[in-house]
Structures are given as structure tokens and as C-alpha cells.
Amino acid sequence: TDLSPRFVVDYHFNDDTMGYASLAKGYKAGGFNSLQIGSDFDNEDVWNFETGIKQAFPDLRLQYNASAFYYVYDNRQAVRLDMTTSIPRYVVDTSDLEAFGIDFDTRWQATDGLALDFNASYIDSTYKDYITPEGIDVSGQPTGIPKWSAAIGLDYLWRMNDAGDLRFTLRHAYRGATRCSDESQSQGTCGISQALDLGQSQQLTNARIAWTSPLGHWTWALYGRNLLDNQYVNSLGTYGKTVLGTVGARVSEPRTYGVEVGVKF
């Protein structure tokens, strides 16, 4: 059983501007690791405080949202590779952590057909209290979440009346470098290989052009993902390192093209 309240207050300064604040609790039940005798993990609890502002400028067809937040986890549950046994195993482990940050997003309807959007976020996430099963004390160290991420997008809709609609979208996203800790290095997710750039910042560019029939029954689209063909090592597969002495790299997907067809009745 658990009681998870949420308190929210908002104030409308005028028809186009609103400020708000919220305090909320989240909960996830504990459980047992099937591969460990007598192993159980505690309930996960999180308290989150957020405050922000939402504002629109109708004459400019522009709107934005900005917020700041702070949250604290008690016994946050996460799957990790336990290296304390002769054969490594994946188990659910818990840790206490905290984070604060800011979020910002905006959208501008430049013309009837052209829309631009942008979002960015900053977060500083660290362990409050955590000793790994291997005995590594990472209290006060980063949890691995990058500090910065951002994305910018373009959407253009060309209405061709009896010929249907043509929509073009282009989006570019950025994700900062993984923040290494003693724990992430032992897990093979950051900074343990001199030969590979592990946990580096990442950029991704996607595009899509789609035609929709006048009655909306048919949609034909051509898309491209990772147009710049940027590939990154996301993590190292160290599961067989202890037994076989081998390590594999998990690499992001390369440039991909495709065609989509949709039918709506």
C-alpha cells in the first residue's frame, strides 16, 4: 500500500500567461531478484517539485514553456550487471539520488504552412547515497545522465486542394556526453576503453516527406533517419568478459532510408 499525493497551484496573470507550481510523489513496489537467494529490493519513492511559466503571443503566433524542477529518489530501481559472482548476472539494484534542472520549449507558427520549434533541457543528476554490489562508493558522483540536450525542428505543410497535402519535416537533436562515474565505468557505459569513444555527445538528424490524399485515405511517405550517418558506441557488452575475456560494443544505427504507406478507411 502507498499514498502518493500531488499538489498543484496555478495563477493566470492574464489570458496568455500562466504560472504554476507542483509537488508530487511517485511510487513503485519492491520485489525479488530471481537469480539471488534471499535477495529483495525495497519500494521506490520519488518526490518531485516543479515550477514554471507558460506564455503565448497570439499576434506573433508564438508560445513557450519554461520550468525548473528538483526531485529526490529513495531506492530508485535499476537493472545493472552484478560482477561479484563468477558468472556475471543482471539484477535489480537500488540507489538514492537527486537531480535539479530546467526545461524550455517554444513553437513559432511563422506562416500558415511553416512551423518551427525548439526545446532544450539542463539536468544535474547525482547519487545521494549508493554503494554498488562490488563495493564502489559513488555517493555524490554523477548518475550518467548528460547535463544538456536540445532539439530543433521544422514542419512545412503545403495544401494542394484537390491534389492532397504535402508535409515536410526536418529535425535535428543533440545529446551531451555521458557523465562518467566509478559505477558507470565498471558497467561499461562510460570511459573504460582507450580505443573507443564511449559516452560521447551525440547528434541525430531525421527528415520525412509525406503526401496525403484529399480525403485522407492514403498516405505515402519517404523518410531518412540519421542523415549525417553519425554512429556512436552506446555501451560495451561486458557480460562475457569475466568468463571468456571478450567485450562487444553496442553501436547506434547507421543512416537509414525507407518508404511508408498508410491506408485509412
Side-chain angles (χ1 to χ4, degrees), residues 120-140:
S121 64
Y122 170 87
I123 183 172
D124 184 11
S125 177
T126 56
Y127 291 107
K128 288 185 63 180
D129 181 23
Y130 182 41
I131 298 177
T132 71
E134 295 81 15
I136 304 173
D137 187 353
V138 293
S139 302

Side-chain angles (χ1 to χ4, degrees), residues 23-263:
L23 177 65
K25 182 193 175 189
Y27 165 83
K28 183 189 294 183
F32 298 88
N33 282 309
S34 61
L35 298 179
Q36 289 178 295
I37 298 176
S39 174
D40 63 305
F41 50 89
D42 293 327
N43 301 330
E44 174 184 287
D45 295 295
V46 57
W47 279 98
N48 177 71
F49 173 76
E50 180 179 346
T51 183
I53 186 172
K54 300 175 181 289
Q55 189 170 22
F57 302 91
D59 294 340
L60 301 176
R61 297 199 286 193
L62 175 70
Q63 64 184 45
Y64 76 89
N65 306 305
S67 64
F69 62 86
Y70 173 75
Y71 62 74
V72 180
Y73 269 99
D74 289 325
N75 299 311
R76 177 178 178 269
Q77 300 168 12
V79 177
R80 75 183 309 276
L81 185 61
D82 182 6
M83 305 287 288
T84 61
T85 57
S86 57
I87 299 179
R89 56 193 178 183
Y90 284 100
V91 298
V92 176
D93 197 22
T94 61
S95 60
D96 299 336
L97 59 88
E98 63 180 344
F100 66 89
I102 55 175
D103 286 319
F104 175 82
D105 67 86
T106 183
R107 179 178 176 85
W108 178 36
Q109 191 70 38
T111 68
D112 290 341
L114 177 63
L116 303 172
D117 66 86
F118 171 77
N119 66 76
S121 64
Y122 170 87
I123 183 172
D124 184 11
S125 177
T126 56
Y127 291 107
K128 288 185 63 180
D129 181 23
Y130 182 41
I131 298 177
T132 71
E134 295 81 15
I136 304 173
D137 187 353
V138 293
S139 302
Q141 296 188 26
T143 62
I145 299 176
K147 281 189 173 182
W148 287 100
S149 61
I152 187 170
L154 177 152
D155 183 285
Y156 185 77
L157 176 62
W158 181 20
R159 298 191 182 278
M160 300 182 293
N161 300 321
D162 293 339
D165 296 335
L166 193 66
R167 182 184 292 273
F168 173 74
T169 57
L170 177 66
R171 177 162 294 275
H172 181 78
Y174 166 82
R175 181 178 184 269
T178 301
R179 299 177 64 196
C180 293
S181 67
D182 295 338
E183 192 268 346
S184 62
Q185 294 182 24
S186 69
Q187 287 291 291
T189 58
C190 185
I192 66 171
S193 173
Q194 297 179 352
L196 300 171
D197 291 325
L198 188 61
Q200 67 182 129
S201 61
Q202 300 184 13
Q203 300 191 55
L204 181 67
T205 305
N206 298 332
R208 185 175 186 269
I209 185 169
W211 172 82
T212 303
S213 63
L215 298 179
H217 295 321
W218 286 92
T219 299
W220 295 78
L222 174 66
Y223 67 85
R225 302 192 184 108
N226 190 15
L227 295 180
L228 301 181
D229 200 24
N230 295 324
Q231 288 189 263
Y232 307 96
V233 178
N234 290 327
S235 65
L236 298 183
T238 58
Y239 191 81
K241 182 178 180 180
T242 303
V243 179
L244 302 176
T246 59
V247 176
R250 300 184 180 95
V251 183
S252 60
E253 293 185 2
R255 181 189 294 120
T256 305
Y257 297 103
V259 176
E260 297 176 351
V261 180
V263 181

